[in-house]
Amino acid sequence: MTPSRDTGERSLTWRMLAAMVLVALVYAAAALPAFLAGPVWGAAAVAAAVTVAVFSARAADGLVLRAMGARRVTAAEEPELHAVLDRLCMSSGLPRPRLAVCAVHAPNAFAAGSGPGSAEVCVTEGLRALLGPAELAAVLAHETAHVANRDVLAGSVAEFPSAVADLFLGWWADLFTARGRGAAKRSAGMLAGVVLLPLAAAAAVLYAAGTLVLLAFSRHRELCADSTGALLTGRPADLASALEKITEELRRSSREDLRALRPAGHRSVVAARGSGASGLLSTHPPLRRRRERLAALSWRLAGGG
């Protein structure tokens, strides 16, 4: 299949830059009240937000691995998987991530860790049973690419404004319910809620905008990991085949198996849920688009490009 011009890496680079600019604008909007108090206060607010986001990313990694029931495996326990990771890390020059396996029947894989030094790659038992050796290596290369690109950290930083807005909205809504409180406290809570209504409206806008930007950012990071991972193995067709098999198997998976993947969420190589709303509310790009980009990359590699 001849690739079209719009599947080039230059287009993806510009789209990623646009997504990063949108993330920066969301941070700027969140820090606007602090900037109104002065540039120093605004800069301090942004720095504090990024710092908290980084620490949140590190804490979230452990929570995700525990929620998935991930078990770290040694080279003696999983020699083939470790051998694949060794080859990928030699190709990329990255520190070797730790390897974990979780007893989930639905096929998937994800990466955890805010940087190469703290990275961990986890695969499900369902993935190992579904894919052949070359396809499994392609998926591990995709996750290694996430590690190389520091996508877990970048995603946590992008997610922080909408997460804070969500927490504020939850607290604001509780002011009106005030269950278990006396009449005086309920009245005071409702009055505070009315006073804070403008802030709640601003938080709602921030949450909506931040979520849409985060999802767009996540979709582009997946495309970048597809390209980088395919270049690590030199076989884009293997990743395309793996993605197709995983997607088809997830469609047939039970609700219980899909529920077991929820803690990994947007970190998974393939989303367990449909795209909806023409993909705007999806953490992953459509399979068709991923296949087209990988086919274009195969075409360029075959031509020596």
Side-chain angles (χ1 to χ4, degrees):
M1 180 176 65
T2 304
S4 59
R5 292 181 181 272
D6 62 357
T7 57
E9 297 305 310
R10 184 174 299 178
S11 172
L12 178 59
T13 300
W14 281 110
R15 290 176 182 176
M16 269 307 308
L17 288 174
M20 292 173 67
V21 169
L22 289 174
V23 171
L25 289 175
V26 170
Y27 265 84
L32 182 60
F35 274 106
L36 293 177
V40 175
W41 286 103
V46 172
V50 172
T51 301
V52 173
V54 171
F55 280 108
S56 298
R58 293 183 179 275
D61 291 334
L63 293 174
V64 169
L65 290 167
R66 284 194 292 272
M68 291 290 295
R71 176 179 63 88
R72 289 177 184 168
V73 291
T74 64
E77 294 174 296
E78 295 288 346
E80 294 182 3
L81 290 178
H82 276 273
V84 172
L85 273 181
D86 287 338
R87 289 195 297 269
L88 292 172
C89 291
M90 288 178 63
S91 300
S92 62
L94 286 171
R96 192 175 169 287
R98 293 182 293 271
L99 180 65
V101 175
C102 60
V104 174
H105 296 301
N108 233 312
F110 65 94
S114 54
S118 62
E120 191 149 356
V121 173
C122 180
V123 299
T124 67
E125 293 287 357
L127 185 77
R128 299 174 63 209
L130 177 69
L131 302 182
E135 294 165 334
L136 186 57
V139 171
L140 288 175
H142 173 97
E143 298 305 329
T144 302
H146 276 308
V147 173
N149 297 335
R150 298 179 182 270
D151 285 340
V152 175
L153 176 60
S156 297
V157 172
E159 183 182 17
F160 187 73
S162 56
V164 172
D166 186 36
L167 287 174
F168 176 81
L169 288 172
W171 173 80
W172 177 77
D174 286 342
L175 292 175
F176 291 95
T177 56
R179 294 174 183 173
R181 301 176 186 173
K185 289 186 177 180
R186 285 199 300 271
S187 298
M190 294 182 67
L191 179 60
V194 172
V195 171
L196 294 174
L197 181 59
L199 281 179
V205 173
L206 178 63
Y207 175 75
T211 299
L212 290 176
V213 170
L214 171 64
L215 293 174
F217 185 80
S218 176
R219 291 192 295 271
H220 288 309
R221 297 315 302 172
E222 289 299 325
L223 292 176
C224 286
D226 282 351
S227 298
T228 304
L231 290 173
L232 284 175
T233 62
R235 297 168 61 91
D238 289 339
L239 180 57
S241 175
L243 294 175
E244 191 160 2
K245 284 185 178 181
I246 296 170
T247 301
E248 186 60 32
E249 187 65 22
L250 287 175
R251 288 173 182 159
R252 295 197 294 260
S253 296
S254 65
R255 291 184 179 179
E256 290 75 15
D257 288 339
L258 295 179
R259 191 178 298 114
L261 290 174
R262 283 182 183 175
H266 63 277
R267 300 169 186 251
S268 300
V269 66
V270 174
R273 299 174 58 187
S275 56
S278 301
L280 290 178
L281 301 181
S282 176
T283 56
H284 291 60
L287 175 62
R288 174 189 54 78
R289 186 180 181 195
R290 298 176 79 172
R291 282 200 311 250
E292 288 175 353
R293 291 192 57 81
L294 290 167
L297 185 55
S298 292
W299 184 273
R300 287 197 297 274
L301 291 176

